[in-house]
Amino acid sequence: MSQVGHTYHDKYLLAEFLANTALASVVNSMAQLGVTREHLRTLVGWAEGRAVTLSMRATRKCRFNREEQRDEESATKHVTEVERSDGESAAVTSKLVTTITEYFWDLDVSWQLVAFAGDGSCEFLILEARESSHQLMTTGEQPPMPEVVVEPAVEVNISWALHQVSGESGEVEFKIDRQNEHTHTPRRNLDVEAALVELGKLSHWAETMAQWLVQLGSINILHKPEVDVHGITPHGILCPSLPLFHDNQATSRVLEPSEVENQ
């Protein structure tokens, strides 16, 4: 940004605004994951004295359902001419028929998005949960996956983010301590450093979740719905902060209609 023309009366305020924009995005994303306003107030209250963790837990179960056999004719016909007892010839048509054995398996997938305080032994909230059942088909007797797979929990500590949220209004309130002796610039201070670290952890958690969903969506189930799991990507998402760096006082003018047509 050093080569981009910009003038701000209070760059600390700008840094706070950008951090709060990121935090507001986190709160909105949590709402999409099932965190209601009441949930948010509870989580903020927990974070006052304990660590709060967001945890995704998932289980897959695969069990044998049935065995079926079907006959499949080849696309090639074989025609053989034979001579009958009366001296006339006749054509005999034959096809190769293959008996195929197919094995069907039931796949059950369940997951929970849980928030808990401390070690989770006393207080926790199930924010979202879902179960689904599908069928797999193989041509061999070996199961396509283990009978039970308990996915490693994908967890992230969200205490810092909750400390920046008002429990009553749900508004984000990130501030830089300008009086702290370690506050040197709007970028070089403990508050912004913490924001970068904690938001980075949340980003890594989201990326891990996306990878798991893409992997789950790649399983070749029967009657698979048309879902583009590869669309789970941050690329192309609107970044509302970039317009802040636009110089409104830069030389500009309204184009004439003829100029627009020539663009």
Side-chain angles (χ1 to χ4, degrees):
M1 296 299 297
S2 61
Q3 298 179 355
V4 179
H6 60 282
T7 302
Y8 302 106
H9 298 292
D10 190 343
K11 291 185 179 181
Y12 284 95
L13 186 62
L14 174 63
E16 292 171 350
F17 182 82
L18 294 177
N20 280 315
T21 300
L23 284 165
S25 176
V26 170
V27 173
N28 289 336
S29 297
M30 291 174 63
Q32 296 299 317
L33 292 174
V35 179
T36 65
R37 180 61 63 87
E38 185 61 34
H39 287 156
L40 188 60
R41 280 195 288 265
T42 299
L43 297 178
V44 170
W46 286 354
E48 291 179 359
R50 290 167 293 176
V52 180
T53 302
L54 204 58
S55 176
M56 173 64 81
R57 305 164 182 178
T59 302
R60 289 182 290 161
K61 297 180 180 180
C62 181
R63 63 182 183 278
F64 179 73
N65 181 290
R66 68 187 185 279
E67 174 185 335
E68 290 185 0
Q69 288 186 338
R70 60 183 177 86
D71 293 335
E72 185 174 286
E73 295 183 350
S74 66
T76 304
K77 295 181 179 180
H78 299 279
V79 180
T80 305
E81 287 193 358
V82 297
E83 186 176 342
R84 299 186 307 193
S85 59
D86 59 2
E88 296 292 331
S89 61
V92 178
T93 303
S94 63
K95 280 186 176 182
L96 179 64
V97 178
T98 303
T99 300
I100 299 176
T101 303
E102 297 174 332
Y103 301 87
F104 293 83
W105 312 81
D106 293 327
L107 173 64
D108 298 323
V109 179
S110 61
W111 58 263
Q112 288 184 335
L113 180 64
V114 180
F116 61 86
D119 60 4
S121 60
C122 296
E123 294 183 290
F124 64 92
L125 285 174
I126 298 178
L127 305 174
E128 195 73 74
R130 186 168 298 177
E131 296 181 354
S132 62
S133 298
H134 310 276
Q135 274 203 338
L136 307 174
M137 188 272 290
T138 65
T139 55
E141 296 182 4
Q142 294 298 321
M145 59 185 63
E147 184 177 356
V148 178
V149 176
V150 179
E151 302 286 355
V154 183
E155 298 183 343
V156 61
N157 188 316
I158 58 173
S159 304
W160 177 88
L162 294 173
H163 291 160
Q164 319 307 316
V165 179
S166 168
E168 294 301 322
S169 65
E171 296 181 354
V172 291
E173 302 174 339
F174 174 82
K175 293 288 186 181
I176 297 175
D177 184 0
R178 307 187 189 193
Q179 305 303 318
N180 191 297
E181 61 178 344
H182 299 292
T183 299
H184 305 293
T185 68
R187 168 60 182 85
R188 295 173 54 226
N189 59 79
L190 298 179
D191 299 297
V192 169
E193 289 291 347
L196 292 173
V197 171
E198 298 302 326
L199 291 173
K201 293 178 182 178
L202 279 166
S203 176
H204 177 71
W205 180 81
E207 289 175 1
T208 305
M209 286 296 306
Q211 293 171 3
W212 179 76
L213 289 172
V214 170
Q215 179 186 13
L216 189 64
S218 65
I219 298 177
N220 192 23
I221 61 175
L222 295 177
H223 312 297
K224 190 172 185 178
E226 295 294 330
V227 178
D228 182 16
V229 294
H230 295 286
I232 306 175
T233 171
H235 301 298
I237 294 179
L238 172 67
C239 178
S241 302
L242 293 180
L244 296 173
F245 296 98
H246 178 69
D247 185 2
N248 290 327
Q249 297 181 352
T251 56
S252 61
R253 62 187 179 86
V254 178
L255 296 177
E256 297 295 333
S258 59
E259 295 178 295
V260 175
E261 294 175 358
N262 294 329
Q263 294 295 316

